[in-house]
Amino acid sequence: MAQRISGLYRAVRLPLFYKGLMFALGADNGIRRYVNEALEPRPGIRMLDVGCGPANILAYLPSLDYTGLDLNEKHIAFAREIYGDRGRFIVGNAADDLRQDEKSFDLINVSALLHHLSDDEARSLFASLKLLLKEGGRIVTLDNVWLPRQRAVVKLVNKLDSGLNIRTPDGYLALLSDLGFEVQPRFFHDLLRIPYDHFVMVARNRPTSIA
Ligand SMILES: C[S@@+](CC[C@H](N)C(=O)[O-])C[C@H]1O[C@@H](n2cnc3c(N)ncnc32)[C@H](O)[C@@H]1O
């Protein structure tokens, strides 16, 4: 993973600190809008949340079959404690720990993860996720982004991010090329209390016959 982990950045790996930081930034309203306007989960579907962290998103989802996956065991323990009966929480990675779930998910959320991964890691993650997705299912990603003529404060916040692979829109789109997805990009500029730019990709898994 390409990210800063020393000093203050270490604290982001602690569930309560991460949750508090998100709350201070106004992420509660931002997550609600992301869920309603981009993720669009239907009740009852099977959803995987990769790099779920403390599973903050669960509070904004309808009743559905939720699996949260994260490499950080502290985040998963925290999510289990808060949401135990609302989902399945797994410490692990998508390539190795969900082999039994092939072609079973309608929706896969990948929020605030890609900018922590190198191009090779991200492309390999998407190849693994494709195997887990039903035909016609969707992967939805959300990350901060570099844009031309970006506000100075957004550039500064991007530079301070613990993730070292913030990309341009084309850089994010390239991660999904040649994998048989139909991708719709979109931008959000007002998800947080501070000025910030987010880039979303909604990638639909084409049915095999037209892939
Ligand atoms: C910035 S947090 C995002 C948490 C949450 N998705 C959100 O939007 O608030 C990124 C999370 O991805 C996890 N992570 C990084 N690489 C991963 C991988 N290959 N598989 C699963 N989790 C991963 C990290 O442990 C971390 O908790």
Side-chain angles (χ1 to χ4, degrees):
M1 253 195 296
Q3 63 176 19
R4 298 183 177 98
I5 52 167
S6 59
L8 257 186
Y9 290 101
R10 197 184 301 274
V12 177
R13 298 161 89 183
L14 301 172
L16 265 179
F17 181 88
Y18 183 71
K19 223 173 154 66
L21 178 66
M22 290 297 104
F23 184 76
L25 292 172
D28 46 348
N29 182 49
I31 298 172
R32 184 176 293 109
R33 284 196 50 214
Y34 168 66
V35 167
N36 292 337
E37 297 174 30
L39 206 57
E40 300 183 290
R42 279 174 286 106
I45 61 162
R46 188 141 199 255
M47 171 177 160
L48 171 64
D49 189 8
V50 181
C52 64
N56 291 347
I57 203 169
L58 247 175
Y60 306 90
L61 298 177
S63 170
L64 47 70
D65 182 351
Y66 176 92
T67 299
L69 181 77
D70 202 290
L71 294 176
N72 182 334
E73 58 189 45
K74 288 198 177 94
H75 279 321
I76 290 297
F78 188 89
R80 269 200 200 113
E81 206 176 306
I82 306 267
Y83 298 112
D85 60 341
R86 281 206 54 194
R88 180 170 67 133
F89 302 98
I90 301 172
V91 178
N93 71 71
D96 302 319
D97 298 298
L98 290 173
R99 285 177 199 272
Q100 70 284 7
D101 291 288
E102 274 197 15
K103 292 192 179 181
S104 72
F105 291 102
D106 302 282
L107 178 62
I108 301 182
N109 180 48
V110 186
S111 57
L113 174 55
L114 294 179
H115 69 281
H116 293 273
L117 304 182
S118 69
D119 285 7
D120 283 351
E121 288 170 328
R123 287 189 66 81
S124 144
L125 174 68
F126 282 131
S128 303
L129 295 184
K130 188 173 167 70
L131 300 176
L132 303 176
L133 205 57
K134 288 181 186 171
E135 279 190 8
R138 288 175 299 135
I139 296 176
V140 184
T141 74
L142 169 85
D143 282 277
N144 41 349
V145 63
W146 292 117
L147 296 174
R149 294 182 299 281
Q150 200 159 26
R151 291 163 292 182
V153 62
V154 181
K155 284 189 199 164
L156 177 66
V157 179
N158 273 354
K159 281 186 185 148
L160 293 173
D161 198 293
S162 62
L164 295 172
N165 276 305
I166 300 171
R167 297 172 173 87
T168 62
D170 282 348
Y172 283 116
L173 288 166
L175 302 175
L176 278 164
S177 62
D178 306 326
L179 286 171
F181 290 105
E182 189 184 296
V183 185
Q184 283 183 338
R186 67 175 292 189
F187 296 90
F188 287 96
H189 303 287
D190 54 358
L191 285 187
L192 297 182
R193 201 169 274 147
I194 57 169
Y196 212 49
D197 299 319
H198 283 100
F199 183 64
V200 166
M201 298 188 288
V202 179
R204 191 175 289 279
N205 195 17
R206 289 197 191 107
T208 319
S209 52
I210 59 164

